[in-house]
Amino acid sequence: MTRTPAPFPANRPRRLRRTDWMRDMVRENTLCAADLIWPIFIQDGTDTATPVPSMPGVERLTIDRVIIAANEAANLGIPMIALFPNTPEHLKTMECEEAYNPDNLVNRATRAIKAAVPDIGIMLDVALDPYNASGQDGITREGEVLNDETLMVLEREALSHAEAGADVLGPSDMMDGRIGIIRRALEQNDFSHVAIISYAAKFASAFYGPFRDAVGAANVLMGDKATYQIDPANSNEGLRMIARDLDEGADMIMVKPGMPYLDVCQRASDAFDVPIFAYQVSGEYAMIEAASANGWIDRDKIIMESLMAFKRAGCTGILTYHAFEVAKKLAEPL
Ligand code: PBG
């Protein structure tokens, strides 16, 4: 219960901050490897890692390299990785057929990882932008992103990912009705065990810029995503979208971006008794790395502090490009 603290000097809050062990003992939130989801970019080829210029420290990996990375992540206690494809340009079309190709990059990677590293969860995004000649998350005609036409393709994409062995699907496109369609398709096709983490509160953010570089969508994107992603000015709308997606069959929720939308994380975790995750997006990562490279901030401390902010805001966990490094650090003896 909240109550008015006793007046000074009966109450001296500094008594509980005096030593390391005392601070350890009274700490309200902790961060551990199980809180982390690690996103990995995948590219075609063998035995290659290609740096992403706008995300220093992040590399696109070929499938053989992803298997090694997944194994290391599992050993560190990271529960789940999220795979994002860098689709070769010639496979991007206006109809996005590559999204549901059973042998597309993420489906091949998922099968290979499942065979080699069975004990790590695999999450795949359900969205068309990596496969779309327009760079949009939906089927586009004359500049307009069409909702219901997109749903039909998302349904096929979701089933192809489930068939490949994805454990968790992350619809990240913000089309209306997608969660219900995907949930029904999973139920009807013997994939009732596949969980959905809905990017329900996904904002039309400029913080996604470096990611679009990484997946090769930046140069093809026509226009912006304001007709489907949420206006950054709105938090009530974010909460409405979460309620809608839970009603349609989402198991978990993603708030995205993370730190600029920490208020939404807090409101969501207060309002809904389901796991709420934050996506610390590429722009957040790039800002930390750029300022660190200039010697302007203490990189290691800022990474930990930024992740702890999400725990404090009530998040169950965080999807972050720093996941692997942080899990390694958390595994070091004190
Ligand atoms: C799109 C998607 C985006 C990200 C993940 N999935 C970009 C977008 O909406 O344009 C961005 C992630 C990041 O910036 O790290 N389906």
Side-chain angles (χ1 to χ4, degrees), residues 147 151 154 171 173-187 194-200 240-253 272 274:
N147 196 84
L151 294 182
L154 291 174
D173 58 294
M174 290 298 284
M175 295 302 121
D176 292 332
R178 71 215 199 280
I179 301 298
I181 294 265
I182 292 171
R183 174 51 73 210
R184 201 192 55 203
L186 292 172
E187 286 294 329
V194 173
I196 296 177
I197 182 165
S198 175
Y199 291 78
R240 280 204 302 279
M241 294 303 99
I242 294 172
R244 172 198 69 175
D245 287 0
L246 291 174
D247 286 347
E248 290 185 20
D251 304 286
M252 300 178 275
I253 293 299
F272 300 102
V274 299

Side-chain angles (χ1 to χ4, degrees), residues 246-318:
L246 291 174
D247 286 347
E248 290 185 20
D251 304 286
M252 300 178 275
I253 293 299
M254 187 76 85
V255 175
K256 176 181 177 186
M259 207 142 75
Y261 297 83
L262 212 50
D263 58 321
V264 179
C265 294
Q266 182 75 64
R267 288 189 67 187
S269 67
D270 287 347
F272 300 102
D273 189 15
V274 299
I276 307 282
F277 289 82
Y279 193 140
Q280 186 180 49
V281 301
S282 57
E284 299 175 69
Y285 177 92
M287 290 196 305
I288 292 175
E289 291 302 326
S292 303
N294 277 294
W296 294 337
I297 57 174
D298 182 331
R299 179 176 180 279
D300 290 0
K301 285 195 174 142
I302 292 250
I303 291 171
M304 288 303 188
E305 188 176 333
S306 70
L307 295 177
M308 190 60 84
F310 296 115
K311 296 300 299 284
R312 203 179 60 241
C315 290
T316 307
I318 309 104

